[in-house]
Amino acid sequence: MQVGIVGKPNVGKSTFFGAATMAPVEIANYPFTTIEPNKGVAYVRKPCPCGDLGVKCTPNNSVCVNGTRMAPIELLDVAGLVPDAWEGKGLGNKFLDDLRQADAFINVVDASGTTDLEGNTVAQGGCDPAEDVLFLRREIDLWMREIIKNGLTKIARQAKMQGSKQEAVLQERLTGLNVTEGQIKDALRHVELPQDPAQWDDERLLALCTRIREASKPMIIAMNKADIAPPGNLDRLRAMGDGAVATLAETELALKKAAAAGLIDYVPGDPGFTVREGVALSEGQRKALDYMAEKMGGHGGTGVQACLEDCAFKLLDLIAVYPVEDESKYTDHFGRVLPDCILLPRGSTARDLAYKVHTELGDKFIRAVNARTKRTVGADYVLLDGDVIKIVANR
């Protein structure tokens, strides 16, 4: 799963990315700090089956902390989006092309209203963060529309000659954007287009792209800089229709660095932290930690972990599944116990899991075994959250 960290310049996207992944990134208080996309891995929490099964796990692609499995997700931090990016302004074309394969977006917004649409710092209240959300949605919709329109005349002629359906034409144009045929068909049920693609007008195409974007690139709002944001701004963002989480990305990053330095004990997602016994803090460090503790208390934590998990489990409705080779010992061929935690969309089948593990495993699928019940299941078995599954395939 890949999640794009998006938003206008200078709102804290790279800080959020760095706080979530602890990957080194350039962070500065000016627009277009990020030029090339940053890729990193963050983790979301799920109960590990090791407790239920009474075994000690030896994770491979993830981490188990006191019975909580930290499942990996890929984050992509891209250049900031400015008005008319869909026409190529700023780094618009690059920004949008970098996001083609994203399954969802975390829209980082400066909830304090101190950053204008170009990414320049303004006085508090100088910008309405709700406008940032509308602006980003529209830019992505217009980008999708231009992709559909590019070369549409030629494709329309071919479609007319071959009798192609509308969804086939759209699928061809949106290849590479991780858009499914089902999402296109659903959009067409809500937005009626003429049968002849040559007659598709900009207004209806834009409405169609809005539907496709909502289904294929769902967004959650990270209301960043929430510690200095007027409450009214947070209320407006929560009313935007996307999920919204108050975040303190700078605080999360500072706490993780302090924990790594041995100054504090902090678990991402916890509502607070504790200073380690015997640690001598400078006056500046103590004041900074006191300030962070106060602001975290007002929001129940920094919100970074909550935002990641809301994106994975509420927005994308993912479940965690654990593939194994020995259903009695719950091990892989190296003898590792419950080695991998794989995130899949709810409703995925045993065959879907096989393809996720390896293409050849999916192609040669015979059956699967539910390691919890020891029952054989077929390719169409619908996986449950926390399932431990053995895949049997032809060699």
Side-chain angles (χ1 to χ4, degrees), residues 124-365:
Q124 190 173 63
C127 184
D128 182 357
E131 292 296 323
D132 297 352
V133 178
L134 297 174
F135 139 76
L136 189 130
R137 290 175 183 170
R138 182 171 174 81
E139 289 293 332
I140 293 175
D141 294 347
L142 287 166
W143 169 63
M144 283 189 173
R145 188 187 71 182
E146 294 310 298
I147 290 174
I148 293 173
K149 288 175 61 180
N150 185 26
L152 186 60
T153 301
K154 178 181 177 181
I155 293 169
R157 287 198 302 268
Q158 293 174 345
K160 192 171 183 179
M161 291 173 59
Q162 298 168 4
S164 301
K165 294 182 179 180
Q166 295 168 318
E167 55 264 32
V169 175
L170 291 166
Q171 185 77 61
E172 194 278 340
R173 297 308 306 137
L174 297 175
T175 296
L177 266 68
N178 208 14
V179 177
T180 68
E181 183 181 353
Q183 290 163 346
I184 291 173
K185 286 182 177 179
D186 183 69
L188 286 168
R189 282 194 288 268
H190 292 88
V191 180
E192 186 176 348
L193 293 179
Q195 288 299 317
D196 182 359
Q199 297 179 19
W200 293 354
D201 62 82
D202 283 358
E203 184 177 348
R204 277 185 284 192
L205 270 181
L206 186 60
L208 182 80
C209 288
T210 297
R211 284 279 181 177
I212 294 173
R213 186 257 305 159
E214 290 172 346
S216 65
K217 310 289 184 188
M219 298 189 201
I220 188 170
I221 302 168
M223 302 184 291
N224 203 34
K225 306 181 186 180
D227 51 332
I228 58 172
N233 284 5
L234 302 183
D235 291 340
R236 285 197 300 279
L237 288 169
R238 290 189 180 102
M240 295 295 293
D242 295 331
V245 179
T247 61
L248 314 173
E250 276 194 12
T251 296
E252 177 76 8
L253 185 58
L255 291 179
K256 284 186 174 178
K257 288 181 177 179
L263 301 179
I264 64 171
D265 289 316
Y266 174 62
V267 177
D270 281 359
F273 60 89
T274 57
V275 177
R276 288 189 177 178
E277 190 173 345
V279 169
L281 298 175
S282 68
E283 183 179 353
Q285 288 173 326
R286 188 167 296 281
K287 283 184 178 179
L289 288 172
D290 286 346
Y291 174 84
M292 288 188 280
E294 178 187 354
K295 296 303 180 182
M296 287 175 71
H299 296 285
T302 70
V304 172
Q305 190 67 31
C307 191
L308 292 171
E309 291 175 358
D310 280 4
C311 181
F313 303 130
K314 293 183 180 179
L315 199 64
L316 293 173
D317 198 16
L318 301 178
I319 61 172
V321 183
Y322 302 80
V324 298
E325 291 192 26
D326 186 328
E327 70 272 28
S328 60
K329 296 180 180 178
Y330 315 115
T331 57
D332 64 7
H333 64 283
F334 294 112
R336 296 176 297 202
V337 180
L338 298 171
D340 294 330
C341 177
I342 294 182
L343 298 175
L344 293 167
R346 191 177 301 277
S348 295
T349 65
R351 191 189 295 276
D352 293 330
L353 173 63
Y355 273 114
K356 189 74 172 180
V357 174
H358 197 282
T359 301
E360 188 175 356
L361 203 60
D363 289 340
K364 297 182 177 181
F365 181 97

